[in-house]
Amino acid sequence: REQPVVPVEVLAAVTRERFLRDVYPRRMPVVLKGMELGTCTTKWTVDYLSQAEGSKEVKIHVSAVPQMDFLSKNFVYRTLPFDVFVQRAAEVKHKEYFLSEDEKYYLRSVGEDARKDIADIRKQFPILAEDVHIPEYFEKEQFFSSVFRISSAGLQLWTHYDVMDNFLIQVTGKKRVALYSPRDAPYLYLSGTKSEVLDVDNPDLEKYPLFVKAKRYQCFLEAGDVLFIPALWFHNVISEEFGVALNVFWKHLPAESYDKSDTYGNKDPTAASRAIQILDRALKTLEELPEEYRDFYARRMVLRIQEKAYRNDCG
């Protein structure tokens, strides 16, 4: 059985007004083409990137295999001067390396103090930021972060969701993105915000039999394309070429809904975290009953959750 694949809708020359009126309320991923992104799409060659930000040190992920797994942590963190990192990330085989001559590199920019500061390209990479025009299809006070990303060719990032809406702006290179609706969470074998199914193209169906039920949406991003990823949509990203991207996250819930210690935009809203803690306590309480009673009352709890919290159109 093969997973159904649905192409992500592609729209050209979408104005802010049209996006907010026709696209945004549908809460579906969309590829936006022909956006005004500034000079970055033509200027950001390997040599230009290297010279522009020079030898400032950056912390990077280094992986001996293309599929990076945040659950098993099959990568190491290393530090390199930015110009050296860019040159290495653009290579296929390396003369100098940490793990192997065909290792993969990935930069996800962070704030000065990753535990306190959010990523903002204007602060961490101010020279490059001048080349970028970020489509502000949201109010200025909703802005959360702008995350600068650089990936080696062939690198695949684990499937995960974020709790904020975001634009994935593909500045150079090509990516393939597989996406899954929040409603398909029961089929994605979650551990926190991440799916245990790493290889979405060749999943281990003995280990993950329900994965085939998840409807896969897919798109191919080229330089200059912008992918709108609504909050809670799962995404798995493969860099088909060496490429540079920028993620822009914004808050669409009231500001107090979000965890104030969240610097990455991926901590569950505070009300959701509290609800999960209460549920865990309730399940712990059920352990005081014999198995037959536990099963009966657990099923009643599931029915109560469905009745009170599921959307009517969820099926």
Side-chain angles (χ1 to χ4, degrees):
R1 289 179 301 164
E2 286 203 355
Q3 205 175 37
V5 177
V6 180
V8 171
E9 185 179 9
V10 178
L11 297 173
V14 177
T15 62
R16 185 182 198 269
E17 292 69 30
R18 186 185 166 202
F19 176 78
L20 292 174
R21 185 187 69 230
D22 301 333
V23 179
Y24 192 63
R26 299 204 322 253
R27 310 302 297 160
M28 294 288 289
V30 176
V31 176
L32 305 172
K33 285 187 172 287
M35 304 280 271
E36 176 48 56
L37 300 175
T39 57
C40 55
T41 51
T42 51
K43 278 173 82 172
W44 283 8
T45 62
V46 171
D47 288 343
Y48 175 78
L49 290 168
S50 302
Q51 290 163 10
E53 294 288 351
S55 59
K56 71 161 73 174
E57 300 233 304
V58 288
K59 195 174 185 181
I60 56 171
H61 303 67
V62 183
S63 176
V65 294
Q67 283 168 341
M68 285 178 57
D69 179 2
F70 204 82
L71 294 172
S72 71
K73 296 285 199 296
N74 67 344
F75 54 85
V76 295
Y77 291 105
R78 292 290 182 265
T79 302
L80 279 176
F82 181 74
D83 51 358
V84 175
F85 156 71
V86 171
Q87 297 287 341
R88 282 213 211 168
E91 299 169 346
V92 177
K93 295 277 185 200
H94 312 293
K95 291 190 178 71
E96 294 183 53
Y97 49 84
F98 297 106
L99 304 173
S100 66
E101 63 175 10
D102 54 0
E103 65 193 15
K104 307 292 183 189
Y105 296 87
Y106 173 57
L107 168 71
R108 182 221 185 276
S109 65
V110 294
E112 294 305 312
D113 181 339
R115 291 166 300 178
K116 296 180 190 169
D117 304 325
I118 59 152
D120 187 339
I121 190 172
R122 294 167 298 187
K123 294 176 183 173
Q124 286 99 45
F125 298 91
I127 297 168
L128 294 176
E130 291 177 9
D131 301 333
V132 186
H133 174 74
I134 293 174
E136 291 189 357
Y137 284 23
F138 49 88
E139 299 301 325
K140 274 189 166 51
E141 62 270 18
Q142 290 178 284
F143 171 83
F144 176 71
S145 66
S146 52
V147 184
F148 187 52
R149 301 181 189 271
I150 298 181
S151 306
S152 292
L155 185 79
Q156 182 171 14
L157 291 181
W158 54 89
T159 305
H160 67 285
Y161 70 86
D162 301 296
V163 300
M164 295 183 195
D165 291 335
N166 75 86
F167 279 149
L168 173 55
I169 301 167
Q170 190 63 26
V171 181
T172 70
K174 294 180 181 179
K175 280 194 174 83
R176 187 190 77 184
V177 186
L179 302 110
Y180 300 92
S181 163
R183 296 183 186 185
D184 281 345
Y187 314 131
L188 297 179
Y189 298 86
L190 297 186
S191 177
T193 62
K194 303 160 188 74
S195 169
E196 293 179 14
V197 187
L198 277 190
D199 191 342
V200 295
D201 297 313
N202 299 290
D204 182 344
L205 294 181
E206 285 190 11
K207 195 173 181 183
Y208 309 114
L210 295 177
F211 185 67
V212 289
K213 291 189 174 186
K215 184 192 285 186
R216 171 172 168 167
Y217 294 78
Q218 185 166 277
C219 62
F220 295 87
L221 299 180
E222 299 189 345
D225 289 350
V226 177
L227 172 62
F228 168 53
I229 306 177
L232 307 184
W233 272 76
F234 296 88
H235 42 288
N236 179 289
V237 183
I238 297 177
S239 296
E240 299 198 324
E241 301 173 345
F242 164 79
V244 183
L246 185 65
N247 251 149
V248 181
F249 292 85
W250 69 91
K251 300 176 179 182
H252 67 292
L253 301 178
E256 63 271 16
S257 302
Y258 299 98
D259 186 325
K260 288 184 171 53
S261 68
D262 186 4
T263 56
Y264 289 90
N266 60 9
K267 285 190 178 179
D268 292 317
T270 50
S273 297
R274 285 202 313 272
I276 290 168
Q277 287 169 359
I278 293 165
L279 176 61
D280 285 341
R281 287 202 297 273
L283 293 171
K284 187 78 177 164
T285 306
L286 280 187
E287 289 176 12
E288 297 171 16
L289 294 169
E291 185 181 25
E292 180 184 356
Y293 284 78
R294 261 204 325 271
D295 180 273
F296 175 70
Y297 286 103
R299 289 174 192 275
R300 281 192 60 189
M301 286 166 69
V302 169
L303 290 170
R304 188 80 164 267
I305 290 170
Q306 287 177 332
E307 178 191 332
K308 296 285 186 185
Y310 276 26
R311 286 169 55 170
N312 293 331
D313 60 350
C314 233

